[in-house]
Amino acid sequence: MYPRPIPEEKPALRGLYAGFVGLILILWLLPLFAVMLTASKTADEIMAGKYWSWPEHFNLIENFQSVFQQTNMWGYFINSLIITLPSVLLVLVLSTLTGYVLARYNFRGNALLFSLFVGGNFLPAQIMMIPVRDLMVSVGLYDTYFALIIFHVAFQTGFATLFMRNFIAALPDELFQAARAEGASPWQTMRHVVIPLMRPALAALAILIFTFVWNDYFWAIVLTQSDVVKPVTAGLNNLRGEWTSAWNIVAAATLFVAVPPVLMFFLMQKHFIAGLTMGAVKG
């Protein structure tokens, strides 16, 4: 008995699907288009209510110059780098170590420990606002870089551990058996066997964590107060208060803030997609 051939997809359904995807894509990109349009206009056009019209004078370069010359956005940008880069590095290191242990070693409390890492992801950030803020005040870290770095590392490590544990658990057992047969220690096995195979997962996780930390606004205003340590998200909020009517300047600053995560994604897109696919094959 021959297998039944797979029916071809109907052209009408294919066209309906393509139209639906196109509509969703337009709705998704519409806010970005509005920001780019606003950032390209002069203040007079904004004041005249010409929000959706094409700019009469393409003023994007001048608006970017105003962002750097008339605001403290460059300082906020440096603050975000100081907060985000150490946070991403620490999360990658901690999640790799914990994911390796939870995936390759069976010990009493393994499932409970893994559940604690996973369960922390379901806690709403709002209910932790007062305890976390009071803790940072009591230890003298409030309104410092370390307050945001410590919180982001603690909060993101749970998700990262889940991701890395699933990725490592999907690796073939033969690799670890061969390493043990060669007399490799657990540390040597992780360094020479696991980590080289984890590069796609590390790249994908680095992009995700970088985006989460860079775009954080809630904890940026909860744990910081002075402009000396505020990241770009809190800085944009200050900019809106200072430049209430100059929405073209605010829009230009928004585009500048969005560049690092977008650039990082496109530079590591291949590894990002491979890492997400491989990290989700086994739970």
Side-chain angles (χ1 to χ4, degrees), residues 184-228:
S185 64
W187 172 254
Q188 291 173 329
T189 301
M190 185 181 69
R191 180 180 176 183
H192 298 289
V193 177
V194 176
I195 292 181
L197 296 174
M198 289 169 54
R199 290 177 182 174
L202 290 172
L205 192 58
I207 295 175
L208 291 175
I209 301 301
F210 184 94
T211 304
F212 293 157
V213 177
W214 183 271
N215 292 334
D216 172 69
Y217 172 72
F218 181 78
W219 293 105
I221 62 175
V222 170
L223 298 179
T224 63
Q225 185 177 11
S226 63
D227 290 344
V228 178

Side-chain angles (χ1 to χ4, degrees), residues 9-23:
E9 187 178 2
K10 296 181 179 180
L13 293 178
R14 189 185 305 114
L16 181 62
Y17 175 78
F20 179 75
V21 172
L23 178 61

Side-chain angles (χ1 to χ4, degrees), residues 228-248:
V228 178
V229 297
K230 279 185 178 179
V232 288
T233 48
L236 278 175
N237 183 62
N238 290 354
L239 194 66
R240 189 191 63 176
E242 181 181 357
W243 301 84
T244 304
S245 58
W247 289 109
N248 54 330

Side-chain angles (χ1 to χ4, degrees), residues 39-50:
S40 302
K41 296 181 178 180
T42 62
D44 294 337
E45 292 179 84
I46 300 297
M47 294 297 295
K50 300 178 180 180

Side-chain angles (χ1 to χ4, degrees), residues 163 166-167 170 200-201 204 270-282:
F163 187 88
N166 290 346
F167 183 90
K270 179 179 179 181
H271 298 292
F272 177 76
I273 297 174
L276 288 182
T277 304
M278 298 176 68
V281 298
K282 185 175 180 179

